[in-house]
Amino acid sequence: MVSDQHVNDVAIDIRSVSKLFGDFVALDNVSVGILDNEFFTLLGPSGCGKTTLLRTIAGFEDVSSGEIVLYGENIAGLPPNQRPVNTVFQQYALFPHMNVTQNVKFGLLRQGVDEATATRRVNEVLDLVQLTPFATRLPSQMSGGQQQRVALARALAPNPKVLLLDEPLSALDLKLRQAVRLELQQLQSDTGITFVFVTHDQEEALTMSDRIAVINNGQLQQVGSAEEIYEAPKNKFVANFIGETNLIDVNVTSVSDGKASCSLPGGMAFSCSAADGAITGDGHLSIRPERVTLVSPAKGILRGTVTRQIYLGTDMHVDVQLEDKGLVKVRVQNSSSMRIPPVGDEVGLNLEADAARLLVD
Amino acid sequence: MAAAGANISKPGSGIYAGSGVALMLPSWLIIGLFLLIPVLLMLVYSFLTKEFRGGVIWEFSLDAYDQFFFYRGLFGDEPPVLEWTYIGIFWRSIWQAGAATIFCLIIGFPTAWFIATRSGANKSVWLFLITIPYWVNLLIRTISMKFLIRDTGPLNEWLMWIGVISEPIHMINTNFAVQLGLFYSYLPFMVLPIYASVERYNFALSEAAADLYASRWETLRLIILPAVKPGVIAGCILVFVPSLGAFLAPDLLGGAKTFMIGSLIEEQFKGNAGNWPFGAAASMILLSMVLVALGYYARQQNREA
């Protein structure tokens, strides 16, 4: 028999979903499977379609085409009040005339839960988000962080199959944001509810998520764990959007089995990993600044001149202008005893071969 | 309340709020000169003796109030019995004004909602359309309405022409005509405050309600109405109060059977037949009724807040 454990079951299967607003394509044939019990993040710049995708799951937007399958049932045509998912809104959208308890109880009562059970559940959830002492406060009598927790408690109270979070941390200040990140992660693993989290903040995405979907211009760019997205970006957009990277123009001579051989500016041959779909000819190599090392001019596979140094505390940022063309950013840890060459010095650069990656343009 | 840890900063409490007294002075002056003094004058007049050709004799008298509430026979020498004529007129006025308020609310709420949910430029166009009739004098509009709905008016003729009716419907001098007049006169006073409330309404709240399994009806009842309540109440007050004292619509469209307070008061100050102290007394009774109602509402509001 099938076991009760559904650990890698698909919670939400988004199948070829497109969404048009007039002529504007907000979502362009997006397909992705969000797994059960997963902290899944939709990441992209503002206007990329990530919030639209979340809203189609919640039911606030119809899909123009495609299916949204929640645990085997296509919910794409259902109104929001018939979908077993709950949302934490960006500005919380707490009911201003109701106190904390009434806000949290709202969904339970609408579901027809009896008063006693609802009260018990409200107490449980308020305890979970540590708001018990604030049960009779109005939203306007609470700080942003507290309101955020009310929103969380309200969405969790009906025990949704999936919790949707629309940039819930963006209204908080930095210190609080970092604390809430950890709390959210903890909450997700404690409750076992699938979280779909929308953010434009790559640091948030990298630190919290089991998997990340990077979206741009309504199209899914790449889906993977934080490490996969950072270490093995698929294309220029992902490489640029997640963290800092150097894009080096190369001429690709061969691609096979995820490996590529190419020639660097200046003519040196170099082999590195290649993203699926990379082709021969003119291409771009991505390498993170911390994976570039400064060496003496003779030892480097690239050569250039130091044009700028920025002191960043733990790190030192160095810009190197290549002899041929292009600029390479290098990040050197300050703890190293190595002397950092001053502006104007000629230096050589080495690229860590396993960290360099040929991209799909 | 005022428990510790509530991070509320009140807008308007900083240095930019200015000095309250200086800001209020112009409006206090206008209210004092053109509202308080005339009302006080009316109060004084209501306790004076009537002069038969209009005006007053400066002699204290309770006759005006006595005449309002009691009947003492044709020559004023019988024992007093309760006089129902004027109380009846007041009752009919309250009923008419209440009905007009409800009709304005039923039509005005969806209208305001519709306008508030249009996009920017369309919003202004719709608001403009709502206010257009108010560029024409109320008297002229009411007379036009009379022509429109009379037995040989365009409405009846049109209805007969398309064959819905074979004989004209008698509309003039009925409660229906008065309602139509009041509705037409005061609809914007319902639409505009509700529009202002709906405009400020955060539509994410409706989404949140739907997300939490509320039906459309529950969302309207539990979330939207409490949020736009101030606008609805303001609209109801702005329609009810002037409807209560209206005299143009009842006079021109209603005739004798639909006589309302406004007409009663107006008559006392018109021509030679008038009785100023009686008109003033009726005004004071109307005013105190309105004030009691508003005071009750204000107390309810304070209790809720």
Side-chain angles (χ1 to χ4, degrees), chain B residues 10-64:
Chain B
K10 274 199 190 124
S13 61
I15 54 166
Y16 295 107
S19 156
V21 177
L23 286 172
M24 288 302 287
L25 198 62
S27 50
W28 278 120
L29 269 177
I30 287 173
I31 289 173
L33 276 176
F34 299 111
L35 190 86
L36 286 182
I37 293 177
V39 167
L40 285 177
L41 263 172
M42 290 297 261
L43 183 67
V44 172
Y45 272 34
S46 72
F47 290 106
L48 294 179
T49 308
K50 78 168 171 182
E51 160 70 60
F52 280 94
R53 279 160 293 165
V56 288
I57 299 167
W58 283 82
E59 211 172 278
F60 178 80
S61 162
L62 285 173
D63 281 359

Side-chain angles (χ1 to χ4, degrees), chain A residues 69-348:
Chain A
V69 179
L70 183 81
Y71 292 98
E73 187 200 357
N74 183 14
I75 58 167
L78 294 180
N81 59 348
Q82 288 172 28
R83 301 187 185 199
V85 299
N86 290 130
T87 309
V88 177
F89 291 83
Q90 189 169 10
Q91 302 296 334
Y92 317 138
L94 299 176
F95 305 132
H97 58 291
M98 297 184 188
N99 67 26
V100 170
T101 302
Q102 290 166 327
N103 262 285
V104 177
K105 204 185 272 182
F106 188 87
L108 293 165
L109 295 184
R110 299 286 81 69
Q111 278 182 315
V113 174
D114 67 87
E115 185 69 36
T117 315
T119 305
R120 209 172 326 123
R121 177 67 183 151
V122 169
N123 291 337
E124 235 172 74
V125 180
L126 287 185
D127 196 42
L128 191 68
V129 297
Q130 295 158 22
L131 278 179
T132 310
F134 299 93
T136 57
R137 288 267 184 102
L138 286 174
S140 58
Q141 297 168 322
M142 306 179 85
S143 69
Q146 290 165 341
Q147 290 185 29
Q148 203 261 350
R149 285 195 232 179
V150 179
L152 204 55
R154 186 179 68 174
L156 284 171
N159 224 335
K161 288 183 172 168
V162 174
L163 188 72
L164 308 173
L165 303 103
D166 185 8
E167 307 217 18
L169 308 184
S170 60
L172 304 178
D173 60 53
L174 184 67
K175 263 260 151 56
L176 198 53
R177 204 151 60 210
Q178 285 167 341
V180 176
R181 265 186 215 165
L182 294 174
E183 285 180 27
L184 270 183
Q185 233 179 336
Q186 190 62 46
L187 203 59
Q188 195 275 326
S189 63
D190 287 352
T191 55
I193 294 172
T194 306
F195 276 33
V196 182
F197 183 90
V198 162
T199 185
H200 64 268
D201 182 329
Q202 42 137 328
E203 197 184 321
E204 242 169 62
L206 292 176
T207 53
M208 298 170 79
S209 325
D210 292 322
R211 283 195 309 153
I212 300 167
V214 183
I215 301 174
N216 190 37
N217 290 333
Q219 291 171 329
L220 198 62
Q221 305 292 319
Q222 188 172 358
V223 182
S225 68
E227 201 181 324
E228 281 165 1
I229 299 258
Y230 187 79
E231 302 287 346
K234 188 163 180 253
N235 57 28
K236 264 161 79 174
F237 177 80
V238 176
N240 261 324
F241 190 71
I242 316 289
E244 228 183 346
T245 200
N246 292 299
L247 292 177
I248 297 171
D249 294 337
V250 292
N251 190 278
V252 186
T253 48
S254 76
V255 181
S256 71
D257 277 349
K259 291 276 171 202
S261 304
C262 53
S263 64
L264 292 171
M268 294 282 273
F270 189 68
S271 64
C272 62
S273 68
D276 276 352
I279 48 166
T280 55
D282 286 338
H284 289 94
L285 202 68
S286 163
I287 184 149
R288 303 288 178 189
E290 68 271 20
R291 297 303 194 100
V292 183
T293 46
L294 292 170
V295 291
S296 63
K299 287 186 187 162
I301 56 172
L302 288 167
R303 257 195 301 278
T305 314
V306 175
T307 56
R308 194 161 67 139
Q309 286 190 353
I310 304 169
Y311 178 75
L312 296 171
T314 54
D315 295 313
M316 189 69 133
H317 177 105
V318 182
D319 279 350
V320 176
Q321 182 68 48
L322 296 186
E323 276 168 2
D324 289 84
K325 61 170 187 164
L327 185 95
V328 175
K329 294 168 278 189
V330 186
R331 200 170 264 233
V332 186
Q333 266 202 359
N334 268 342
S335 60
S336 74
S337 53
M338 176 193 158
R339 188 191 73 96
I340 295 175
V343 172
D345 260 26
E346 200 154 305
V347 290

Side-chain angles (χ1 to χ4, degrees), chain B residues 78-94:
Chain B
E78 292 167 32
V81 290
L82 206 54
E83 165 72 77
W84 287 104
T85 313
Y86 305 118
I87 297 172
I89 292 172
F90 264 58
W91 172 244
R92 190 192 300 136
S93 302
I94 292 170

